[in-house]
Amino acid sequence: METPYGLVEPIVGKLANREIVFMNRHGRNHATPPHLVNYRANIWAIRDLGVRKVLATAAVGSLSSTFQLGELVLPDQFLDFTKNRPQTFYEGGQKGVLHVDMTEPYCAAARQVIMEASAHVGLQVKNGACYVCTEGPRFETPAEIRMFQRLGADLVGMTSVPEVVLARELGMCYASIGMVTNEAAGIAKHPLTHAEVMESMKELGLKVAELIQATFELWTPDQNCLCASGNGEAGKF
Ligand code: HPA
């Protein structure tokens, strides 16, 4: 599918008797690293296809003993330590200027539905954590992880920003299921590997699929939250 930001490959299908769009942010075979993901094209495409609610998944490292390996956690805040990513659709000129509100970056109503769904399928999910987004693709140094801990981060990943921001700029609800795949650098007793993260993801995959299905069974198309007016100040485009 063409977008003003490039080509993407969304998959349209059905889940829980709803029409859905599946977007693999890393592309086929996980070929696109986090710092090169075309976040704007991905988010633009799904909005253009009519999506109003986004349920993302994200591998995360844990910075806190509160969040253990294999747990599912819904971030409610983020710290942005990305360095080189287009962060907005609103680039001035004809496109306008928007200082989008990020008081509640991850839709609280959507998170609540995921929590209800988790009870239906008997999965433990934790609601609320601060996600720090790093630029990657390298993992962090232990010194960086200590800094992030002091700043209040609980989880570390490389993809949630600017995805969550761009979704709000287009008036969509966005929540993310964080899958704790590893202890962050320096907390883990061993060096980190991509293989370790992918292995944990595989193990968590079935659980998360069940949770997504249950969430979609409960999700209604209406947006009972402020996300839809995320771009109200600048007008929609
Ligand atoms: N750091 C950054 N991104 C990640 C990690 C990590 O430890 N684990 C999974 N994604």
Side-chain angles (χ1 to χ4, degrees), residues 60-62 64 66-67 72-79 105-106 111 126-132 152-156 176 178 180:
V60 292
S62 173
S64 153
T66 308
F67 303 111
L72 303 179
V73 189
L74 313 179
D76 64 345
Q77 286 292 319
F78 69 73
L79 292 168
Y106 299 87
R111 284 186 284 116
K126 292 181 174 165
N127 189 2
C130 182
Y131 174 115
V132 58
D154 303 302
L155 308 171
V156 58
S176 180
V180 181

Side-chain angles (χ1 to χ4, degrees), residues 14 24 50 81 88 93 98 122 127 142 155 161 164 196 217 234:
K14 270 197 161 186
N24 192 340
F81 277 80
T88 181
L98 174 66
N127 189 2
L155 308 171
V161 184
V164 59
E196 171 190 2
E217 275 160 17

Side-chain angles (χ1 to χ4, degrees), residues 34 58-63 131-132 134 136-140 145 155-159 179-185 192-193 197 201:
V60 292
S62 173
L63 282 71
Y131 174 115
V132 58
T134 59
R138 66 169 176 83
F139 287 116
E140 301 69 39
I145 291 299
L155 308 171
V156 58
M158 303 177 192
T159 55
M179 306 150 75
V180 181
T181 54
N182 59 284
E183 292 175 311
L192 302 186
T193 64
V197 170
M201 288 268 280

Side-chain angles (χ1 to χ4, degrees), residues 16 23 62 66 86 95 108 163 175 210 214 233-234:
M23 177 68 79
S62 173
T66 308
K95 290 180 174 160
E163 203 170 72
E210 221 187 329
E233 267 185 81

Side-chain angles (χ1 to χ4, degrees), residues 16-151:
N17 223 17
R18 276 175 213 289
E19 248 196 293
I20 64 145
V21 177
F22 174 72
M23 177 68 79
N24 192 340
R25 71 161 78 83
H26 293 286
R28 279 191 210 166
N29 307 320
H30 206 97
T32 310
H35 66 297
L36 296 179
V37 169
N38 194 342
Y39 295 97
R40 287 194 298 189
N42 287 349
I43 293 293
W44 181 277
I46 59 177
R47 177 65 175 74
D48 211 28
L49 289 166
V51 168
R52 293 292 179 276
K53 298 187 174 183
V54 181
L55 181 49
T57 57
V60 292
S62 173
L63 282 71
S64 153
S65 57
T66 308
F67 303 111
Q68 297 284 324
L69 196 66
E71 284 193 324
L72 303 179
V73 189
L74 313 179
D76 64 345
Q77 286 292 319
F78 69 73
L79 292 168
D80 180 12
F81 277 80
T82 65
K83 293 175 181 163
N84 197 19
R85 304 178 183 190
Q87 297 270 347
T88 181
F89 292 111
Y90 291 84
E91 295 190 298
Q94 293 229 310
K95 290 180 174 160
V97 174
L98 174 66
H99 303 289
V100 76
D101 176 58
M102 281 288 113
T103 305
E104 193 143 60
Y106 299 87
C107 176
R111 284 186 284 116
Q112 201 46 49
V113 175
I114 301 169
M115 293 309 290
E116 278 169 42
S118 72
H120 284 202
V121 290
L123 278 175
Q124 217 218 339
V125 177
K126 292 181 174 165
N127 189 2
C130 182
Y131 174 115
V132 58
C133 195
T134 59
E135 181 67 8
R138 66 169 176 83
F139 287 116
E140 301 69 39
T141 64
E144 286 169 328
I145 291 299
R146 284 196 299 275
M147 171 181 74
F148 294 143
Q149 284 173 322
R150 288 183 191 173
L151 294 178

Side-chain angles (χ1 to χ4, degrees), residues 151-222:
L151 294 178
D154 303 302
L155 308 171
V156 58
M158 303 177 192
T159 55
S160 205
V161 184
E163 203 170 72
V164 59
V165 179
L166 295 168
R168 180 65 58 80
E169 282 195 349
L170 296 187
M172 293 187 284
C173 298
Y174 181 104
S176 180
I177 302 172
M179 306 150 75
V180 181
T181 54
N182 59 284
E183 292 175 311
I187 300 173
K189 303 281 172 284
H190 53 272
L192 302 186
T193 64
H194 183 54
E196 171 190 2
V197 170
M198 294 307 270
E199 193 51 41
S200 305
M201 288 268 280
K202 231 201 268 166
E203 280 170 30
L204 283 167
L206 274 181
K207 270 196 205 177
V208 172
E210 221 187 329
L211 181 59
I212 290 172
Q213 166 117 13
T215 301
F216 281 25
E217 275 160 17
L218 296 178
W219 236 353
T220 54
D222 49 300

